[in-house]
Amino acid sequence: MNYKSVQIRKGKEQSLLRKHPWVFSGAIFSDVSNIKDGEIVIVEDFKGRFLAVGHFQHATISVRVLSFEECKIDQTFFDKAINNAVQLRLNLGLLSESNNVFRICHGEGDNLPGLIIDFYNGAAVIQCHSIGMYESIDLITTALKGSLGNKLISVYSKSSDTLPERILSKDEYLFSSCETPHLAKENNVDYQIDWINGQKTGFFIDQRENRALLGKYSFGKKVLNTFCYSGGFSLQALNQHAKLVHSLDSSKKAIDLTEANLAINNFSGQHTSIVADAMEYMKELKEDYDIIVLDPPAFAKHRDKRHKAIQGYKRLNAHAIRQIKSGGLIFTFSCSQVVDKYLFTNTIIAAAIEAGRNVRILEQLHQPADHPINAFHPEGEYLKGLVIQVD
Ligand code: SAH
């Protein structure tokens, strides 16, 4: 192996010895000026002993570790890692008659830091968060073809939003092409997925199990689904015979996606769409809802925004708790990685105190199994939620 090496300060090897997959720029003492963004490097301790191999980038996270054993990062490496990831999802039963939407690769959770791959009924959408992964995209595509065989109909790369601007990345098909929107199925409900014009890779797959749980509680109920995007929660509620569903999003484009999904499932009759700011709308509700879903975008992306985010979650939840009908349920979520589940729970408790009502926690929710958390990288835990009953 003739990879360049970076050396890290004495003491800074500890986290790598515990298999944490990131090396921060401050930990490195060797000169890295001759190393290019995306290059594969060997990480060594201050005595020159091997610690790991990974992708280098001139950024706060300087190295994302691909292996803690000496190995070449080549086609064989990606074939094995992608196949492991695919097999896990197949073992979880995520490709079936009733479901063909799942995440194939969840970055550090699949020992491939910087790489997200989502699967929509045969179409794979790749999103790279590191330059090294972006430069490996042909190896990744070949590995997907090898592992999925005829289950794969196309591969699209969508990384221009997630890579630094200095990289001229192109969003494009890498294998075959697929007309969008593309029909896919989550828990027996059809969805039209558009990765080209939609947010992220086109759909929020991480709420699949929580949407199914909402379905379980929805029979005969009046449901308000705020921050609905393409209507995932609304459709699962309607599929389980909710009495009526109101879906709200501030984006007209999102509401159009919701309506298209309602139409293909013949659910439009029991449904009303609302284009509005959720925080404003929640101040005074016009309907007596049995169930309210609160699934806002990440209010805090960085630690320094955490305090403000907490105030936002508290206000939003206090509005819902104050107005929901007695015995009603609130499905409340946060996908801010910097707000952990304990802080989130305490925020909901504070909202209940502010609203002056008794609240019980019925369910504690989290990201699904196809978004695994690497045990040595606790930062991978980001989605948390509660189902609360307001007495
Ligand atoms: N619950 C969705 C995913 C939510 S993504 C699902 O299951 O697929 C967050 C959504 O919140 C986006 O669609 C975005 O347009 C919307 N949004 C962001 N700010 C908002 C606001 N202030 N009021 C209402 N919707 C908002």
Side-chain angles (χ1 to χ4, degrees), residues 50-333:
F50 175 91
L51 289 168
V53 52
H55 282 141
F56 182 85
Q57 190 160 322
H58 291 281
T60 311
I61 302 172
S62 298
V63 183
R64 291 166 202 253
V65 173
L66 298 164
S67 172
F68 290 97
E69 280 160 30
E70 290 189 59
C71 69
K72 257 171 90 176
I73 306 302
D74 54 9
Q75 187 66 61
T76 307
F77 170 84
F78 279 104
D79 284 349
K80 197 165 160 219
I82 297 278
N83 194 47
N84 276 341
V86 167
Q87 288 311 316
L88 169 63
R89 277 67 182 179
L90 297 181
N91 288 341
L92 291 168
L94 291 171
L95 186 56
S96 67
E97 284 278 294
S98 59
N99 189 82
N100 52 38
V101 173
F102 53 89
R103 177 155 288 187
I104 291 178
C105 177
H106 187 59
E108 286 79 1
D110 284 286
N111 300 314
L112 289 168
L115 181 64
I116 298 295
I117 310 174
D118 287 339
F119 185 85
Y120 301 112
N121 185 21
V125 183
I126 303 178
Q127 193 176 61
C128 297
H129 291 254
S130 74
I131 296 169
M133 277 301 174
Y134 186 66
E135 290 178 348
S136 313
I137 207 149
D138 291 336
L139 299 177
I140 294 164
T141 302
T142 302
L144 279 171
K145 286 198 238 174
S147 181
L148 285 160
N150 61 9
K151 296 185 189 78
L152 188 71
I153 57 171
S154 84
V155 177
Y156 185 73
S157 163
K158 187 177 183 186
S159 302
S160 57
D161 293 343
T162 49
L163 289 173
E165 272 174 21
R166 62 181 185 273
I167 288 297
L168 288 175
S169 63
K170 227 166 91 193
D171 294 343
E172 60 185 338
Y173 284 99
L174 303 169
F175 164 56
S176 192
S177 70
C178 176
E179 205 180 309
T180 49
H182 176 61
L183 197 63
K185 202 184 271 288
E186 180 199 88
N187 283 326
N188 283 312
V189 174
D190 289 330
Y191 293 89
Q192 301 252 38
I193 318 261
D194 184 348
W195 44 86
I196 294 178
N197 299 305
Q199 295 182 27
K200 308 267 174 87
T201 66
F203 193 64
F204 291 89
I205 301 178
D206 55 1
Q207 290 286 24
R208 183 186 54 246
E209 308 304 326
N210 302 328
R211 290 195 275 248
L213 186 71
L214 172 70
K216 203 173 113 185
Y217 290 136
S218 289
F219 187 89
K221 300 289 197 267
K222 291 188 198 173
V223 180
L224 171 64
N225 176 21
T226 64
F227 306 93
C228 69
Y229 187 52
S230 55
F233 281 101
S234 308
L235 277 109
Q236 292 295 338
L238 288 165
N239 197 42
Q240 299 301 327
H241 312 287
K243 186 170 175 189
L244 66 83
V245 175
H246 293 172
S247 304
L248 179 148
D249 203 286
S250 57
S251 152
K252 169 76 172 67
K253 234 169 125 180
I255 290 295
D256 290 345
L257 294 174
T258 296
E259 295 199 335
N261 285 330
L262 288 160
I264 56 168
N265 289 281
N266 295 319
F267 287 151
S268 305
Q270 309 100 290
H271 183 269
T272 306
S273 299
I274 304 159
V275 180
D277 176 80
M279 200 66 96
E280 282 303 311
Y281 188 86
M282 292 299 299
K283 281 185 186 162
E284 205 178 325
L285 293 178
K286 292 161 200 73
E287 183 80 47
D288 231 6
Y289 294 106
D290 300 295
I291 303 181
I292 298 176
V293 180
L294 303 171
D295 183 26
F299 282 168
K301 293 227 164 76
H302 299 285
R303 220 165 268 271
D304 54 349
K305 298 277 182 321
R306 186 163 54 187
H307 181 70
K308 212 161 160 252
I310 296 298
Q311 302 302 323
Y313 289 121
K314 187 174 145 195
R315 205 157 9 109
L316 182 67
N317 282 276
H319 287 319
I321 296 170
R322 186 164 45 77
Q323 296 173 84
I324 197 164
K325 100 199 242 198
S326 187
L329 301 182
I330 302 174
F331 280 62
T332 182
F333 297 95

Side-chain angles (χ1 to χ4, degrees), residues 314 317-318 321 347-359 388:
K314 187 174 145 195
N317 282 276
I321 296 170
T347 305
I348 303 308
I349 294 168
I353 292 168
E354 189 179 301
R357 295 185 74 182
N358 285 337
V359 161
I388 57 173

